Amino acid sequence: MKRNLLQSVLIIMVIAIPVAAGAFGLIYQESTKPNAEEAVEFSLGKTQARLNADELPGSDLYQVPEEGIAFYYTNDGEWVEPAPDLQRVDPRTVLSGYEWIPESIQTSTVKTANGQGNITLVEGEPWRPELEGRYFDLVGEAPKNDTEIMVNTQALERLDVSIGETVTFVQSGKSLKVVGTLESASASRSSSVVYARSGAVSGIGLNHENYRFYAVGAKPVEWSQIIAINKQGVGVLSREVLLNPPADSAVPLYQLGWMNSNGIMSVLSQLLALVFLVPLVLLPVAVLAGSAFSFGARRQAKTLAVISSLGANSRLLRFVTVANGLWLGLLGGLLGVVIGAMAAVVALPLMTNGSRLDYPGLHLPFALLALVGLSGAIIGAIVSLIPAHTASKVDVLSTLRGIRASAKVQKRSGIGGLVTFAAGLAISLGALLGVQYLTNAIRETVIDPMAAYSIIPALLFAIAAGSAVMIIGLLIGSGWLLILSRTLLKRLGTAANYATNDLIYNRKRYTSVIASVLATSFVGATVLTMFFSFSEFARDSYRPYGEVNQLIYDAAAMGWSGGSLETVEALETRFANRDEILDGVILAANGISPTNSAAVIQAHQQYSNLTMGLEIGAEGQQPYVAPNPKMLCPWMEGSAYYDEFQLMQTNQDWAAQSELTSIPELKDCDRLASPSGTFIVATPQEFRALLGGRVDDQAEAALASGGAVVFHPGLIDNGKMKIQWFDSGVDSALFGVAPYGPDGMPLLGQDGQPFELGEPSRVAEVDAVVSQSNNYLFSKVLSPQAAEKLGIEYGPWLAVVNFADTLGFSQTDALAATLPEGYMYEAGYQVDTEMVAWLIAGAVAFLVLASTSIALGLAQIESRADQSTLGSIGAPKRFRANVLGGQALILTGFGTILGSGIGIFLAWAITAAAAQTAGGEIFHLPVAQSFAVVLGIPLVAGLIFWLGTPARSTFRARLSID
C-alpha cells in the first residue's frame, strides 16, 4: 500500500465516493425526524400533556397514542351518529390536579410592509416558561394586556415593524403594540407568527372548540386514562406516552385492525426499503472496489511470483491480497463516512425548512455509520477474494518471464453474460407482473389487502435485484462488447484500430472501466428518471384554476361580505358600478407587478349563484347548458351510466367500477360540476386575454363568426352547444341533484312542493368548438353576436390580468390590501422539475466522471510501460492522444448507454408498479438530461484524456518486480 501510494489513494477514493453518499442519506433520514425527547420538547415543552376537544362524546372514539387526536372509527365502516343534544366537553374538566395553559392557532389578516396578508396567530400564553421548547428565544417582554403582542423575527421583516411599534389587524381594525419576539418550534424559516393573549385578536373565549390546553403539574397522564378520556371526545398528547409508548395490545384502535405506523409493518417496510436500496448503493461499491483490487492484484503479480519462488505457500499469497483489500476498504469506508458527515453538516440546514419539528438537529446514527464504514472493509475483503484466489495460483515462471495470457475472448463468457442478463430481465418483469396481479386482486377483493401490501415491497426489491443481475450479465460479457467496438470502429483509422485491439488484448485492464461506468450510470439514471417521473406525475396531477400567473377578480366578490339580499333589484343596485371597479382592479394590478395583458370580461351571471337569499325562480327563466350525459361522472344522477354504476356499487364490483370510470370520455368529468348557468361573453381579443395570451385560432374564428367556445367536450354534442331555459337557481338539478338551501334541506318550488326540473321552456343550439384552458369555473364562452341573438343579457363581471412573472410574498400582500374582497390567482405548479432534473443530472455526471476517471487513471498507471514503448518507437503525441481519448470514449460510451438503459428500465418498472395504485401513467423520461448524461460523459472523458496525453513519452524498461 505504501509503496504504490497513488494506486492506494485512488482505490480508497473509489470506495469512499459511494460510501459518502450512503452516509449522507442515513444522516439525512435520522436528522429529519425528532426522537422521543425532542418530540416532547417541541410539542409539549415542560408540560405533562396537551388536550383537544375534537369530537362529541361517543363510544366509537379512539386515538393513535403518539398523535393525540380523538376521532370516530368503526372497523365495519358504519357511521354512528352522536346524540343531537350532546355538547363538546371542556378538556379542562376531564383531569384534575393540573394548571391549564390555553393555546389557539389560527390565521388572521394583518397589514404588512407591502399591503396585507394572512399570518399565523397564536393566542394563549405561549411565553410561559412551562412551554419552553415548544416556544423559545423570548426577547423583550411578554404581553401584559390585550393591547400588546409578540411576533417572531420573520414577522418583523414582513410586517416592517420593530419592537415598540404597532401591527394592524384587518378584520377588527385593532392596532396592537409589539413588545417582544418569540420563536415557534413548528414554524418554518418563511413563516410569520403573531402571539397574543387569549381572545385579544380573535375575540373568541376559552370555551371555544378552537382552544386546546396544556396540563401543568407533576403527575403524568397515563395511557389508561387517555382511553377513557377519548370517549368524551377529547384527544390527548401525553409526555408519558411519547416517552413510554404502550404495547400494541393495549391500544384499542390497533385491536380493531388499525395499522400501527411504528409497529412491525413499519419496521418491515423500512427494512424492505433498505433492501431495495442495496442494489443501488452496494452494486457500484462492489463493482468499483472489485475493479480496483483486481488492478492491484495484477500490479502485484510479479511481486507475488517472487515471494512464491522464495517458498511462500498459497495461504500466505491469499492473505497478502485480502489484507490489502481489507485495509484499503476500511480506509475508504472511514473516509466516505467523514465526507458524508461533513456534507450533512453543511447541507442539511439548507435543505430543510427551518422547523425544529422537521429538522430537530444533526443526528449521527453512530451504529449505522460504523457499519457503513466497516462495510468498506467487508466489501474490500470480499471483492479481493477472487484476485486473491488468482494470486494463489500464480504461474511463477510465466509471470517472471512476462508472458501474457491469450487475448482470445471465450465463447462461454458471451453465453454466460446473455443467460445472466436474460435471467435478470425475467426476474424484473416477473416481479412487475406480480405487482400488477396483486393490485388487480385488491381491486377485485379476491385477496386480503394487508397481505398483498406486505408482499408488494418484496416484489419491488425483486425488480431492482433483477436489474442489478442484468448489470452483472453485461459485466460477464464485457469482452464481447469490446469485440463489438473493434468491429464497429477499426475502419476509422490506424489509431482506432490500435486502440480497439489494445482494449481486447488487455481487456482485464479495461473491463474495470466499463464496470465502473455501468454501475454508476445505472444508479444515476435510475435516480434521475424516478425523480423526474414522479415529479412530472405530480405536475400532471396538479389542477390549476386558471392560466399560470393569471389574476381573475370577480365582481361578485363585492357582495361576499354584504350578506344575502332578498330581491334581484337590491343585488343589481349593489353591482351597478362594477365596471368602474373592474377598471380600477386592472390599474391597481399593473402598479403591483408588470403585466403582459389585461381585460375586463363580460359575462351573464345569475344572481341565484351569488346569494342564498333568493328563492328558486326569482329571476325567471334563465339559460343553462345541457351537459352531455355520456360525459357526466357516473355517480351523477344525470349521467348515462348512473344506473349501471349504482348496480356495480351494490354488487361491490370494484373492478368494473374502475374500468368504467377510466374510459377516456370521462376524463375530468368532475369539471362539469361548475355552474352551467354562467356564460362568458367575449370578443376574440378578450378571449385571448382569458387564455393568458395564448392564441387559439380555431376558437377565435368561432367567436368572430358568432359562435361559441367551451373548455370541456362534455358541454357540446356534434359541434353544437345546447342551451335550455329553466327557472333560475337550478344548476345542480341539471346533474340530477335537487337544489339545497343553506339549512341543508331541499328547496321547494314556487308551488311549495319539492322542486322538480321539468321540461325547459325554450331550447336553442349554437355552433361551438372546444378550447384548452385551466379555467373551468368559466367554461362557456359566447360571442356577443350569439348572446344578443339568444337574448342573453350580459355585462362587465370579471377583471383578468396576466402577470409577466410569478408574484412573490410582497406582491400578493399588496394585492390582498388592494382587493380585500378576494381574488383568484394561479401561481402554477411551483416545483421547477426541469431545473432540479438538470441539477441531479449534473450530480450524476460528476459521480460517473469521478469514478470513471479513477478507473481510467488506474488503467493508465498499469499501461505506462506500454505507452512508453509506443512513444519510444516514434508514435507522435497526436497518435497517442487519439488512442487514449478514443479508448476513454469507447469505454465510457458503452458503459453509459447500457448502464443508463438498464437504469431507465428499472425506473420504468418501478413507476409502472406504482401506477397500478396511483391510477395514472407515472413514467416520464427526462430526454434532454438523459442525452446529456449518455452522450456528454463519454465526450468529456475522451476530451480529458485526449488533452491530458503528455507531449513526450519517456521510455521505461519493464522490471521483473513492479
Side-chain angles (χ1 to χ4, degrees):
M1 288 166 53
K2 184 177 180 181
R3 182 166 56 87
N4 298 294
L5 189 59
L6 177 59
Q7 169 188 317
S8 300
V9 169
L10 290 176
I11 293 174
I12 290 171
M13 291 302 300
V14 161
I15 298 171
I17 291 173
V19 169
F24 179 87
L26 286 173
I27 296 172
Y28 174 84
Q29 181 183 26
E30 196 68 19
S31 298
T32 51
K33 57 182 181 182
N35 55 37
E37 290 77 12
E38 290 168 335
V40 168
E41 178 185 1
F42 300 150
S43 299
L44 300 174
K46 296 179 175 60
T47 64
Q48 291 294 341
R50 184 176 69 210
L51 281 71
N52 318 273
D54 296 313
E55 301 285 353
L56 298 177
S59 59
D60 292 295
L61 280 158
Y62 307 93
Q63 76 166 60
V64 177
E66 66 270 16
E67 293 182 2
I69 298 174
F71 57 90
Y72 278 98
Y73 176 76
T74 55
N75 60 348
D76 58 3
E78 293 294 328
W79 174 253
V80 179
E81 191 71 35
D85 58 342
L86 291 177
Q87 300 293 325
R88 288 181 186 258
V89 171
D90 186 336
R92 294 170 290 182
T93 64
V94 300
L95 288 172
S96 60
Y98 296 94
E99 180 187 357
W100 298 99
I101 301 177
E103 178 189 68
S104 168
I105 301 178
Q106 51 197 302
T107 300
S108 184
T109 305
V110 298
K111 294 289 186 181
T112 68
N114 299 285
Q116 69 182 44
N118 293 329
I119 196 170
T120 302
L121 170 65
V122 178
E123 290 188 319
E125 301 172 41
W127 45 81
R128 287 274 296 267
E130 294 87 351
L131 291 180
E132 174 66 31
R134 176 165 179 76
Y135 301 99
F136 58 97
D137 287 352
L138 187 152
V139 176
E141 300 178 353
K144 297 183 289 294
N145 52 57
D146 290 353
T147 65
E148 297 178 343
I149 59 173
M150 302 183 77
V151 298
N152 69 342
T153 51
Q154 171 62 29
L156 289 177
E157 179 180 348
R158 185 179 179 192
L159 303 178
D160 192 24
V161 296
S162 302
I163 294 178
E165 297 180 338
T166 60
V167 173
T168 301
F169 293 83
V170 174
Q171 287 94 337
S172 65
K174 296 179 180 178
S175 293
L176 306 183
K177 181 181 178 181
V178 178
V179 296
T181 60
L182 185 67
E183 304 300 328
S184 171
S186 59
S188 68
R189 62 172 59 93
S190 61
S191 298
S192 301
V193 187
V194 169
Y195 309 93
R197 291 165 62 91
S198 299
V201 175
S202 66
I204 64 174
L206 295 181
N207 60 345
H208 193 276
E209 64 189 50
N210 196 49
Y211 271 97
R212 50 194 187 181
F213 298 89
Y214 293 87
V216 179
K219 185 172 57 175
V221 181
E222 307 285 349
W223 177 244
S224 58
Q225 297 173 274
I226 295 175
I227 295 175
I229 294 172
N230 287 158
K231 304 306 178 186
Q232 300 185 58
V234 176
V236 184
L237 184 66
S238 166
R239 169 186 294 271
E240 174 66 20
V241 173
L242 285 175
L243 295 177
N244 302 289
D248 285 2
S249 58
V251 181
L253 192 60
Y254 297 156
Q255 306 316 307
L256 293 177
W258 192 275
M259 183 185 298
N260 181 1
S261 61
N262 294 324
I264 182 63
M265 288 305 297
S266 175
V267 174
L268 179 62
S269 63
Q270 291 178 16
L271 179 62
L272 288 171
L274 184 62
V275 171
F276 170 75
L277 292 174
V278 166
L280 296 182
V281 176
L282 292 188
L283 177 65
V285 176
V287 168
L288 294 175
S291 301
F293 292 131
S294 296
F295 162 76
R298 289 194 302 274
R299 290 272 291 165
Q300 294 181 85
K302 291 184 179 180
T303 303
L304 295 175
V306 172
I307 296 175
S308 177
S309 68
L310 296 175
N313 57 23
S314 298
R315 182 178 179 183
L316 178 59
L317 297 178
R318 285 195 298 269
F319 171 78
V320 170
T321 306
V322 173
N324 195 303
L326 185 68
W327 280 106
L328 290 176
L330 178 62
L331 292 173
L334 294 177
L335 178 62
V337 169
V338 171
I339 294 174
M342 293 173 63
V345 170
V346 175
L348 286 185
L350 302 176
M351 294 172 60
T352 52
N353 66 3
S355 165
R356 287 193 174 187
L357 285 172
D358 293 334
Y359 177 57
L362 186 69
H363 292 171
L364 297 178
F366 291 104
L368 289 175
L369 291 177
L371 288 176
V372 169
L374 290 175
S375 69
I378 296 170
I379 292 174
I382 292 174
V383 299
S384 63
L385 288 176
I386 295 177
H389 177 73
T390 303
S392 67
K393 297 183 178 299
V394 63
D395 184 339
V396 176
L397 184 59
S398 297
T399 301
L400 293 177
R401 293 176 60 189
I403 298 175
R404 301 192 182 190
S406 171
K408 185 178 181 181
V409 179
Q410 300 295 320
K411 289 183 179 179
R412 62 185 180 184
S413 66
I415 295 173
L418 285 174
V419 171
T420 305
F421 183 90
L425 181 62
I427 292 171
S428 293
L429 293 178
L432 177 58
L433 291 175
V435 172
Q436 293 176 333
Y437 168 78
L438 288 175
T439 50
N440 288 333
I442 292 171
R443 291 195 195 99
E444 297 171 7
T445 65
V446 298
I447 190 173
D448 179 18
M450 291 299 297
Y453 285 128
S454 65
I455 298 172
I456 287 176
L459 293 175
L460 295 178
F461 163 68
I463 294 174
S467 299
V469 172
M470 293 166 66
I471 291 289
I472 294 173
L474 292 176
L475 295 178
I476 294 173
S478 58
W480 288 93
L481 294 177
L482 296 176
I483 289 180
L484 176 62
S485 71
R486 182 177 64 181
T487 303
L488 295 175
L489 303 173
K490 66 181 181 180
R491 300 184 185 278
L492 295 181
T494 306
N497 190 31
Y498 177 89
T500 52
N501 275 292
D502 182 60
L503 291 176
I504 296 172
Y505 190 75
N506 295 293
R507 61 184 178 278
K508 289 186 177 180
R509 176 189 303 165
Y510 295 110
T511 299
S512 61
V513 181
I514 294 181
S516 66
V517 183
L518 274 173
T520 51
S521 59
F522 160 67
V523 174
T526 302
V527 172
L528 172 62
T529 309
M530 288 188 66
F531 161 79
F532 190 81
S533 294
F534 283 106
S535 185
E536 284 296 290
F537 175 72
R539 180 193 294 275
D540 293 343
S541 303
Y542 177 76
R543 306 189 75 173
Y545 290 97
E547 301 300 323
V548 177
N549 295 331
Q550 184 180 76
L551 165 76
I552 295 182
Y553 177 83
D554 190 346
M558 295 157 51
W560 290 350
S561 59
S564 61
L565 298 179
E566 301 295 332
T567 65
V568 173
E569 290 76 14
L571 281 169
E572 289 177 339
T573 300
R574 171 174 292 173
F575 299 122
N577 64 335
R578 62 183 183 271
D579 47 353
E580 291 90 351
I581 291 175
L582 295 174
D583 287 336
V585 168
I586 293 177
L587 289 173
N590 273 284
I592 290 171
S593 182
T595 61
N596 289 330
S597 60
V600 172
I601 303 294
Q602 313 246 32
H604 170 79
Q605 180 74 277
Q606 292 186 27
Y607 291 131
S608 57
N609 292 329
L610 311 180
T611 176
M612 291 296 185
L614 296 173
E615 296 293 338
I616 285 182
E619 296 174 88
Q621 296 290 293
Q622 294 291 317
Y624 296 89
V625 172
N628 186 343
K630 292 184 179 180
M631 291 189 177
L632 287 177
C633 295
W635 50 88
M636 296 177 179
E637 292 185 34
S639 169
Y641 307 104
Y642 179 77
D643 293 337
E644 182 182 355
F645 186 83
Q646 293 303 312
L647 182 61
M648 296 173 183
Q649 188 90 9
T650 302
N651 297 333
Q652 295 188 344
D653 191 349
W654 315 125
Q657 269 195 5
S658 176
E659 183 178 353
L660 174 62
T661 56
S662 62
I663 62 177
E665 290 81 1
L666 296 179
K667 182 180 180 182
D668 290 332
C669 63
D670 56 315
R671 300 277 200 175
L672 288 173
S674 60
S676 63
T678 299
F679 294 84
I680 298 296
V681 180
T683 65
Q685 192 65 29
E686 292 166 343
F687 180 77
R688 187 176 300 182
L690 192 65
L691 291 187
R694 288 187 292 110
V695 177
D696 186 330
D697 292 330
Q698 183 185 23
E700 291 186 11
L703 293 174
S705 62
V709 179
V710 297
F711 294 150
H712 192 290
L715 296 171
I716 62 173
D717 190 12
N718 293 322
K720 301 285 186 181
M721 181 168 64
K722 183 180 179 181
I723 303 177
Q724 307 172 99
W725 275 257
F726 293 98
D727 284 342
S728 65
V730 301
D731 278 81
S732 59
L734 295 169
F735 306 102
V737 181
Y740 285 82
D743 57 357
M745 301 299 293
L747 292 177
L748 303 179
Q750 292 178 339
D751 56 0
Q753 299 300 314
F755 176 81
E756 292 185 6
L757 186 61
E759 294 296 323
S761 62
R762 178 186 168 196
V763 177
E765 289 186 340
V766 180
D767 292 332
V769 298
V770 179
S771 182
Q772 296 299 316
S773 174
N774 298 326
N775 196 333
Y776 282 83
L777 297 176
F778 309 103
S779 53
K780 301 162 291 296
V781 184
L782 290 172
S783 64
Q785 305 95 299
E788 290 163 5
K789 181 179 179 181
L790 296 170
I792 297 176
E793 296 180 353
Y794 61 92
W797 275 104
L798 304 175
V800 174
V801 179
N802 298 299
F803 291 106
D805 298 298
T806 303
L807 301 184
F809 263 127
S810 61
Q811 293 157 321
T812 54
D813 283 352
L815 271 180
T818 305
L819 309 174
E821 302 91 354
Y823 58 89
M824 184 181 77
Y825 170 69
E826 178 56 59
Y829 186 67
Q830 292 299 293
V831 178
D832 190 343
T833 305
E834 286 287 337
M835 178 59 69
V836 178
W838 278 115
L839 292 175
I840 294 176
V844 169
F846 172 78
L847 291 175
V848 175
L849 277 173
S851 58
T852 302
S853 298
I854 292 172
L856 275 168
L858 290 170
Q860 292 308 311
I861 292 174
E862 189 174 359
S863 66
R864 279 185 300 185
D866 293 343
Q867 296 298 324
S868 65
T869 301
L870 190 63
S872 69
I873 61 174
K877 177 188 175 181
R878 182 177 180 182
F879 179 85
R880 290 183 287 110
N882 289 342
V883 169
L884 291 178
Q887 288 179 336
L889 182 67
I890 293 169
L891 295 172
T892 53
F894 272 108
T896 54
I897 291 172
L898 297 174
S900 297
I902 297 177
I904 292 171
F905 165 80
L906 173 58
W908 168 80
I910 295 296
T911 53
Q916 296 297 308
T917 55
E921 180 63 34
I922 296 178
F923 179 76
H924 291 78
L925 180 64
V927 177
Q929 292 83 355
S930 297
F931 269 108
V933 169
V934 171
L935 300 179
I937 290 175
L939 291 174
V940 172
L943 183 62
I944 290 173
F945 280 86
W946 188 82
L947 294 175
T949 305
R952 295 182 180 180
S953 178
T954 303
F955 178 73
R956 295 180 178 87
R958 293 183 182 273
L959 301 178
S960 59
I961 301 179
D962 293 324

